[in-house]
Amino acid sequence: MTGNQVRVLIADDQRLFAEALEAILTTDGRIAVVGRAANGEEAVALVRGDRPDVVLMDIAMPILDGIAATEAIAAETPATRVVVLTGSDAPEDITRARAAGAAGYVTKDQIAGDLVRAILAAAGR
């Protein structure tokens, strides 16, 4: 891992999806996946400790949902940007994510190139 890579945490309760996403992202040399969280509470805790540049956050997760986790991350660790990555393209979910402090919103059906662009944009690269 080099200092110029964008450090990404994946927060998604669907383990196989998270593993596949990690495999895709690690093929891009500009991105380093630094961890995975299976719920919002775990995501907030990992951000506190690891300070990733970007969190890919699912909305629907157990214990603490992605909106509440995004709010906590934005309040506690504003240097870490959250990109919501979810199956929903409902306008109300997009509005809630933005209000919580999300820097971006990508649906799971978009191609990997769109996701990489959203990660790099959120990280200011």
Side-chain angles (χ1 to χ4, degrees):
M1 198 175 345
T2 65
N4 61 353
Q5 287 179 304
V6 177
R7 301 176 72 246
V8 175
L9 171 72
I10 298 169
D12 197 300
D13 62 321
Q14 295 177 346
R15 185 179 56 81
L16 290 177
F17 177 79
E19 289 174 357
L21 183 58
E22 181 176 357
I24 291 166
L25 293 177
T26 56
T27 65
D28 190 306
R30 299 169 292 180
I31 296 172
V33 175
V34 296
R36 289 195 316 258
N39 61 64
E41 183 176 89
E42 185 180 4
V44 173
L46 288 172
V47 167
R48 285 181 189 135
D50 296 338
R51 305 284 184 180
D53 300 309
V54 175
V55 177
L56 294 178
M57 181 75 70
D58 189 17
I59 289 178
M61 288 193 295
I63 302 175
L64 184 67
D65 72 22
I67 298 296
T70 297
E71 288 173 337
I73 291 166
E76 295 177 27
T77 318
T80 296
R81 307 302 303 253
V82 176
V83 173
V84 171
L85 176 63
T86 187
S88 172
D89 63 356
E92 59 272 13
D93 286 337
I94 297 169
T95 300
R96 289 175 52 229
R98 292 285 187 189
Y105 193 98
V106 179
T107 57
K108 289 181 177 179
D109 63 350
Q110 289 181 290
I111 61 171
D114 292 337
L115 180 56
V116 169
R117 280 190 290 280
I119 291 168
L120 297 175
R125 310 240 172 116

